Amino acid sequence: MGKSKVLVVGGTGYIGRRIVEASLKQGHPTYVLQRPEIGLDMDKIQLLLSFKKQGAHLLRASFSDYHSLVDAVKHVDVVISAMSGVHFRSHNLLLQLKLVEAIKEAGNIKFLPSEFGINPARMGHALEPGRVTFDEKMVVRKAIEEAKIPFTYVIANCFAAYFAANLSQMGILFPPTDTVNIYGDGNVKAVYMDENDIATYTIKAVDDPRTLNKTLYARPPDNILSQRELVQKWEKLTGKQLQKISVSEQDFLASMKGMDFVGQVGVGHFYHIFYEGCLTNFEIGENEEEASNLYPEVKYTRMDDFLKVYL
Ligand code: NDP
Ligand code: GNU
């Protein structure tokens, strides 16, 4: 039995493009949704053409044309959604409900919905307005499970480019040069993942019976780091100490006032990650898997190496 045919929805997106590349690299017949709505977005067009050059097939479909979605998913065995969550660019997680319906109608297809962050099933207590990310992901999961569609939920923890590159500072995507805000005592453990490894693990899970109807965490031992440990790695690389300013929980949460919606969402997520420790304050359960344990052959990127490009 050959490798499953994979359709990536949201394939020109930030994690989506990496999932397309990983699917091609691991030898899956790879399909990418081509939406008419991308119009004159030349960057997306160029990305789609580059995927085609690498052997991917483009499938035209639109979320405003349900039958085009059904026709598209009928070409494949597995659909992976990398639909945007709540952040800088757009916020369309609930559009996936149409995709669930199309997959249900087509039948015999596994679905990996757009997760790739904190496990939303553990965030019932999450702060407003950031909780919307988790609530919407849970609505999609409910639809998948009610439709009895086989699934795998990929919990990516923190994308390194959004959380490690900036030493976990908000509002910037490069390391600070003089001072760094430390959340509380900075000793709460987080998990930082290179996005390319998330894509690799996601594709490894596609045909793996061990991940069928399971939650797959990316929590490799060397990448379980506190913010203070991450800062120390950077200081070692630069040979320069940063001035550390400890931010109390109260002051951090108070900073939400006066921020725009996305900023407030971010404060909520950062709070749960760096004050509460929501990524590491639990053991991975019986009915759950950890990616570096299932796929020890993957030489996942450590943050010492990830940070080098920012020097
Ligand atoms: P992007 O903002 O890159 O968007 C991904 C894709 O969503 C787009 O490329 C587009 O697909 C599709 N999309 C957006 N709007 C629409 C629309 N109106 N109709 C149809 N398709 C649409 O997403 P990210 O890669 O940043 O996020 C993907 C997932 O990763 C989310 O679940 C998010 O929560 C999570 N995430 C996690 C992070 C972490 O640190 N763990 C960091 C960032 C995101 P197309 O290619 O067809 O144009
Ligand atoms: C990260 C962000 C970075 C926000 C997740 C504001 C979903 C997740 C770790 O919403 O846009 O500065 O788990 O000023 O489950 C936001 C998104 C990151 C947080 C990405 C995200 C992480 C979404 C900021 C900022 C770098």
Side-chain angles (χ1 to χ4, degrees), residues 9-16 33 35 38 44 63 82-87 89-93 95 114-118 133 137 156-159 162-163:
V9 174
T12 70
Y14 179 68
I15 194 64
L33 206 69
R35 297 185 300 123
I38 66 176
K44 285 181 180 282
F63 275 86
M83 182 66 72
S84 59
V86 178
H87 69 142
R89 286 185 293 271
S90 57
H91 158 206
N92 294 291
L93 288 166
L95 275 175
S114 189
E115 293 268 346
F116 306 118
I118 300 166
T133 308
K137 289 180 178 179
N157 292 309
C158 290
F159 285 2
Y162 276 103
F163 288 89

Side-chain angles (χ1 to χ4, degrees), residues 86-88 117-118 133-134 157-158 162-163 166 169-173 265-266 269-270 273:
V86 178
H87 69 142
F88 316 130
I118 300 166
T133 308
F134 313 121
N157 292 309
C158 290
Y162 276 103
F163 288 89
N166 48 18
Q169 306 303 284
M170 291 195 71
I172 55 172
L173 294 172
V265 166
H269 292 180
F270 277 68
I273 295 165

Side-chain angles (χ1 to χ4, degrees), residues 73-79 102-103 106-111 149-150:
V73 302
K74 279 182 173 173
H75 285 80
V76 301
D77 309 301
V78 180
V79 175
I103 288 167
N108 200 24
I109 293 168
K110 179 178 181 183
F111 185 38
I149 294 167

Side-chain angles (χ1 to χ4, degrees), residues 2 38 53 63 82 92 100 137 140 185 196 214 221 235 248 311:
I38 66 176
K53 278 185 209 127
F63 275 86
N92 294 291
V100 171
K137 289 180 178 179
V140 175
D185 61 11
N196 298 311
K214 295 274 182 62
E235 290 176 327
S248 72
L311 280 170

Side-chain angles (χ1 to χ4, degrees), residues 114-183:
S114 189
E115 293 268 346
F116 306 118
I118 300 166
N119 185 349
R122 302 185 55 87
M123 298 309 286
H125 65 293
L127 294 177
E128 295 285 0
R131 63 168 302 117
V132 68
T133 308
F134 313 121
D135 293 344
E136 292 187 353
K137 289 180 178 179
M138 291 310 287
V139 167
V140 175
R141 287 190 182 197
K142 185 166 177 285
I144 292 166
E145 290 166 30
E146 280 178 356
K148 300 197 182 341
I149 294 167
F151 62 83
T152 297
Y153 301 138
V154 177
I155 307 302
N157 292 309
C158 290
F159 285 2
Y162 276 103
F163 288 89
N166 48 18
L167 306 184
S168 305
Q169 306 303 284
M170 291 195 71
I172 55 172
L173 294 172
F174 271 92
T177 51
D178 304 305
T179 63
V180 60
N181 287 336
I182 298 290
Y183 302 118

